PDB file of all heavy atoms in Angstrom:
ATOM      1  N   ALA A  75      -5.243  -2.859  -5.281  1.00 95.00           N
ATOM      2  CA  ALA A  75      -4.418  -2.827  -4.064  1.00 95.00           C
ATOM      3  C   ALA A  75      -4.162  -4.227  -3.517  1.00 95.00           C
ATOM      4  O   ALA A  75      -3.163  -4.461  -2.837  1.00 95.00           O
ATOM      5  CB  ALA A  75      -5.092  -1.963  -3.001  1.00 95.00           C
ATOM      6  N   ALA A  76      -5.040  -5.178  -3.840  1.00 96.00           N
ATOM      7  CA  ALA A  76      -4.860  -6.559  -3.376  1.00 96.00           C
ATOM      8  C   ALA A  76      -3.592  -7.176  -3.958  1.00 96.00           C
ATOM      9  O   ALA A  76      -3.093  -8.174  -3.433  1.00 96.00           O
ATOM     10  CB  ALA A  76      -6.078  -7.407  -3.738  1.00 96.00           C
ATOM     11  N   ARG A  77      -3.056  -6.597  -5.023  1.00 95.00           N
ATOM     12  CA  ARG A  77      -1.797  -7.066  -5.615  1.00 95.00           C
ATOM     13  C   ARG A  77      -0.574  -6.471  -4.916  1.00 95.00           C
ATOM     14  O   ARG A  77       0.551  -6.842  -5.196  1.00 95.00           O
ATOM     15  CB  ARG A  77      -1.747  -6.701  -7.093  1.00 95.00           C
ATOM     16  CG  ARG A  77      -2.814  -7.334  -7.916  1.00 95.00           C
ATOM     17  CD  ARG A  77      -2.421  -8.727  -8.296  1.00 95.00           C
ATOM     18  NE  ARG A  77      -3.312  -9.218  -9.348  1.00 95.00           N
ATOM     19  CZ  ARG A  77      -3.605 -10.484  -9.490  1.00 95.00           C
ATOM     20  NH1 ARG A  77      -3.090 -11.389  -8.694  1.00 95.00           N
ATOM     21  NH2 ARG A  77      -4.412 -10.855 -10.449  1.00 95.00           N
ATOM     22  N   LYS A  78      -0.800  -5.518  -4.019  1.00 96.00           N
ATOM     23  CA  LYS A  78       0.301  -4.802  -3.371  1.00 96.00           C
ATOM     24  C   LYS A  78       0.705  -5.379  -2.024  1.00 96.00           C
ATOM     25  O   LYS A  78       1.630  -4.886  -1.389  1.00 96.00           O
ATOM     26  CB  LYS A  78      -0.069  -3.327  -3.191  1.00 96.00           C
ATOM     27  CG  LYS A  78      -0.373  -2.601  -4.472  1.00 96.00           C
ATOM     28  CD  LYS A  78       0.863  -2.434  -5.294  1.00 96.00           C
ATOM     29  CE  LYS A  78       0.619  -1.522  -6.476  1.00 96.00           C
ATOM     30  NZ  LYS A  78       1.828  -1.336  -7.269  1.00 96.00           N
ATOM     31  N   GLY A  79      -0.007  -6.413  -1.557  1.00 97.00           N
ATOM     32  CA  GLY A  79       0.323  -6.998  -0.270  1.00 97.00           C
ATOM     33  C   GLY A  79      -0.411  -8.302  -0.045  1.00 97.00           C
ATOM     34  O   GLY A  79      -1.304  -8.669  -0.807  1.00 97.00           O
ATOM     35  N   LEU A  80      -0.010  -8.966   1.016  1.00 97.00           N
ATOM     36  CA  LEU A  80      -0.590 -10.249   1.396  1.00 97.00           C
ATOM     37  C   LEU A  80      -1.204 -10.151   2.778  1.00 97.00           C
ATOM     38  O   LEU A  80      -0.801  -9.306   3.594  1.00 97.00           O
ATOM     39  CB  LEU A  80       0.495 -11.332   1.417  1.00 97.00           C
ATOM     40  CG  LEU A  80       1.241 -11.589   0.113  1.00 97.00           C
ATOM     41  CD1 LEU A  80       2.419 -12.525   0.360  1.00 97.00           C
ATOM     42  CD2 LEU A  80       0.295 -12.150  -0.930  1.00 97.00           C
ATOM     43  N   VAL A  81      -2.148 -11.033   3.055  1.00 98.00           N
ATOM     44  CA  VAL A  81      -2.696 -11.120   4.403  1.00 98.00           C
ATOM     45  C   VAL A  81      -1.534 -11.356   5.363  1.00 98.00           C
ATOM     46  O   VAL A  81      -0.657 -12.187   5.109  1.00 98.00           O
ATOM     47  CB  VAL A  81      -3.745 -12.252   4.500  1.00 98.00           C
ATOM     48  CG1 VAL A  81      -4.136 -12.502   5.950  1.00 98.00           C
ATOM     49  CG2 VAL A  81      -4.966 -11.918   3.653  1.00 98.00           C
ATOM     50  N   GLY A  82      -1.503 -10.589   6.439  1.00 98.00           N
ATOM     51  CA  GLY A  82      -0.425 -10.679   7.424  1.00 98.00           C
ATOM     52  C   GLY A  82       0.651  -9.618   7.258  1.00 98.00           C
ATOM     53  O   GLY A  82       1.423  -9.373   8.175  1.00 98.00           O
ATOM     54  N   ASP A  83       0.712  -8.971   6.076  1.00 98.00           N
ATOM     55  CA  ASP A  83       1.694  -7.899   5.892  1.00 98.00           C
ATOM     56  C   ASP A  83       1.385  -6.746   6.840  1.00 98.00           C
ATOM     57  O   ASP A  83       0.224  -6.458   7.143  1.00 98.00           O
ATOM     58  CB  ASP A  83       1.660  -7.363   4.454  1.00 98.00           C
ATOM     59  CG  ASP A  83       2.397  -8.238   3.461  1.00 98.00           C
ATOM     60  OD1 ASP A  83       2.973  -9.271   3.868  1.00 98.00           O
ATOM     61  OD2 ASP A  83       2.392  -7.884   2.267  1.00 98.00           O
ATOM     62  N   LEU A  84       2.434  -6.078   7.280  1.00 98.00           N
ATOM     63  CA  LEU A  84       2.284  -4.876   8.094  1.00 98.00           C
ATOM     64  C   LEU A  84       2.344  -3.664   7.174  1.00 98.00           C
ATOM     65  O   LEU A  84       3.213  -3.587   6.296  1.00 98.00           O
ATOM     66  CB  LEU A  84       3.396  -4.781   9.135  1.00 98.00           C
ATOM     67  CG  LEU A  84       3.382  -5.866  10.213  1.00 98.00           C
ATOM     68  CD1 LEU A  84       4.583  -5.708  11.127  1.00 98.00           C
ATOM     69  CD2 LEU A  84       2.097  -5.803  11.013  1.00 98.00           C
ATOM     70  N   ILE A  85       1.411  -2.740   7.374  1.00 98.00           N
ATOM     71  CA  ILE A  85       1.362  -1.539   6.548  1.00 98.00           C
ATOM     72  C   ILE A  85       1.252  -0.294   7.414  1.00 98.00           C
ATOM     73  O   ILE A  85       0.851  -0.352   8.577  1.00 98.00           O
ATOM     74  CB  ILE A  85       0.206  -1.583   5.523  1.00 98.00           C
ATOM     75  CG1 ILE A  85      -1.153  -1.700   6.211  1.00 98.00           C
ATOM     76  CG2 ILE A  85       0.409  -2.722   4.524  1.00 98.00           C
ATOM     77  CD1 ILE A  85      -2.349  -1.611   5.254  1.00 98.00           C
ATOM     78  N   ILE A  86       1.618   0.818   6.804  1.00 98.00           N
ATOM     79  CA  ILE A  86       1.445   2.145   7.389  1.00 98.00           C
ATOM     80  C   ILE A  86       0.449   2.869   6.496  1.00 98.00           C
ATOM     81  O   ILE A  86       0.586   2.858   5.276  1.00 98.00           O
ATOM     82  CB  ILE A  86       2.780   2.907   7.443  1.00 98.00           C
ATOM     83  CG1 ILE A  86       3.784   2.154   8.320  1.00 98.00           C
ATOM     84  CG2 ILE A  86       2.564   4.341   7.945  1.00 98.00           C
ATOM     85  CD1 ILE A  86       5.214   2.647   8.163  1.00 98.00           C
ATOM     86  N   ILE A  87      -0.561   3.478   7.087  1.00 98.00           N
ATOM     87  CA  ILE A  87      -1.598   4.197   6.350  1.00 98.00           C
ATOM     88  C   ILE A  87      -1.529   5.659   6.784  1.00 98.00           C
ATOM     89  O   ILE A  87      -1.579   5.948   7.985  1.00 98.00           O
ATOM     90  CB  ILE A  87      -2.996   3.620   6.668  1.00 98.00           C
ATOM     91  CG1 ILE A  87      -3.037   2.122   6.377  1.00 98.00           C
ATOM     92  CG2 ILE A  87      -4.079   4.381   5.905  1.00 98.00           C
ATOM     93  CD1 ILE A  87      -4.156   1.384   7.092  1.00 98.00           C
ATOM     94  N   VAL A  88      -1.400   6.567   5.811  1.00 98.00           N
ATOM     95  CA  VAL A  88      -1.295   7.985   6.152  1.00 98.00           C
ATOM     96  C   VAL A  88      -2.201   8.830   5.272  1.00 98.00           C
ATOM     97  O   VAL A  88      -2.556   8.443   4.160  1.00 98.00           O
ATOM     98  CB  VAL A  88       0.162   8.513   6.044  1.00 98.00           C
ATOM     99  CG1 VAL A  88       1.082   7.808   7.009  1.00 98.00           C
ATOM    100  CG2 VAL A  88       0.685   8.408   4.632  1.00 98.00           C
ATOM    101  N   SER A  89      -2.544   9.987   5.790  1.00 98.00           N
ATOM    102  CA  SER A  89      -3.270  11.005   5.045  1.00 98.00           C
ATOM    103  C   SER A  89      -2.590  12.331   5.340  1.00 98.00           C
ATOM    104  O   SER A  89      -2.095  12.562   6.452  1.00 98.00           O
ATOM    105  CB  SER A  89      -4.731  11.042   5.493  1.00 98.00           C
ATOM    106  OG  SER A  89      -5.422  12.061   4.804  1.00 98.00           O
ATOM    107  N   TYR A  90      -2.552  13.178   4.324  1.00 98.00           N
ATOM    108  CA  TYR A  90      -1.939  14.501   4.459  1.00 98.00           C
ATOM    109  C   TYR A  90      -3.004  15.563   4.273  1.00 98.00           C
ATOM    110  O   TYR A  90      -4.010  15.336   3.606  1.00 98.00           O
ATOM    111  CB  TYR A  90      -0.838  14.688   3.416  1.00 98.00           C
ATOM    112  CG  TYR A  90       0.277  13.679   3.545  1.00 98.00           C
ATOM    113  CD1 TYR A  90       0.279  12.515   2.790  1.00 98.00           C
ATOM    114  CD2 TYR A  90       1.325  13.880   4.434  1.00 98.00           C
ATOM    115  CE1 TYR A  90       1.288  11.573   2.910  1.00 98.00           C
ATOM    116  CE2 TYR A  90       2.348  12.945   4.570  1.00 98.00           C
ATOM    117  CZ  TYR A  90       2.323  11.797   3.797  1.00 98.00           C
ATOM    118  OH  TYR A  90       3.330  10.863   3.936  1.00 98.00           O
TER     119      TYR A  90
END
Side-chain angles (χ1 to χ4, degrees):
R77 298 277 193 210
K78 301 291 189 179
L80 300 171
V81 170
D83 281 359
L84 294 176
I85 60 174
I86 299 166
I87 304 160
V88 298
S89 178
Y90 299 95

